[in-house]
Amino acid sequence: GGTDPQHKVFSSPEIVMESFTQTIIDASGKITGYVTHKGEYIYFGTGDREDPTYLPAVNEETTRQDRFYAIKNYWLNGDNTSVTESNLIDVTADSIQMQDDQTKKTTLLSFENKGWYIRLENPGEKVVSSPLAYNGMLFFTTYTPSEDDNAPGRRGNRHIYRHRYRYEEQNGPGGGGPGGGGPGGGGPG
């Protein structure tokens, strides 16, 4: 239980230039056109690199559950609104990637969407290095400390995540949405 404290970011983000398509709809609900805006997606993860062996205690008042974020930044004149986690779509459950939640997927690809995040679900799992975007794929690694206090050097497990960040949707261009799925293609691999 408890509250989730602020997350530490120790690694530099990956920034990918993107174009975002805004659908223009008139008062009757009819699509009247499209406008393309330039911008970027900013990808980064949270984790305490200074204390990589941190594991939340069962009865701890506050616990940390680190995350991986994808924040959409498009350069609109006069838009200086802050983005908080409540503005982002939680894609931890992988329902969008598995294409069993069409409404959430449509929302994710919408121009108004501010981005998405993944809750790292292993106890103590954290991102301790910078992500890498290459050829439409986003890669990031995490570390989960061993729960065995007697393990030599308190070793742990590493995970590599891979997400498709660029793809085309049937009704026009999309970008920045998570994709993939399956081992090594949207989750730990």
Side-chain angles (χ1 to χ4, degrees), residues 92-136:
T92 305
D94 219 0
S95 61
I96 295 170
Q97 298 172 52
M98 301 309 287
Q99 298 184 14
D100 62 356
D101 188 340
Q102 190 60 42
T103 302
K104 206 170 193 182
K105 185 173 184 179
T106 301
T107 302
L108 179 73
L109 293 171
S110 74
F111 177 76
E112 292 75 19
N113 168 42
K114 301 291 186 187
W116 51 268
Y117 69 95
I118 298 169
R119 285 177 280 111
L120 303 177
E121 294 188 309
N122 295 313
E125 186 176 11
K126 57 196 61 70
V127 177
V128 292
S129 63
S130 296
L132 172 68
Y134 177 74
N135 200 25

Side-chain angles (χ1 to χ4, degrees), residues 34-100:
Y34 300 92
V35 176
T36 300
H37 301 277
K38 293 189 182 293
E40 66 223 352
Y41 254 96
I42 303 166
Y43 300 100
F44 63 94
T46 66
D48 191 347
R49 202 168 56 187
E50 291 180 336
D51 186 10
T53 60
Y54 166 82
L55 279 169
V58 174
N59 296 320
E60 200 169 315
E61 185 62 32
T62 60
T63 60
R64 252 187 339 243
Q65 184 179 26
D66 286 301
R67 291 152 168 65
F68 188 84
Y69 292 97
I71 308 294
K72 184 191 287 186
N73 182 30
Y74 40 81
W75 311 314
L76 295 177
N77 292 335
D79 184 6
N80 58 359
T81 56
S82 297
V83 175
T84 65
E85 193 170 275
S86 64
N87 300 120
L88 305 175
I89 299 172
D90 181 352
V91 297
T92 305
D94 219 0
S95 61
I96 295 170
Q97 298 172 52
M98 301 309 287
Q99 298 184 14
D100 62 356

Side-chain angles (χ1 to χ4, degrees), residues 94 97-98 137-138 160-164 178-189:
D94 219 0
Q97 298 172 52
M98 301 309 287
M137 299 299 291
L138 178 72
I160 185 166
Y161 288 78
R162 178 186 72 188
H163 288 272
R164 182 179 51 222

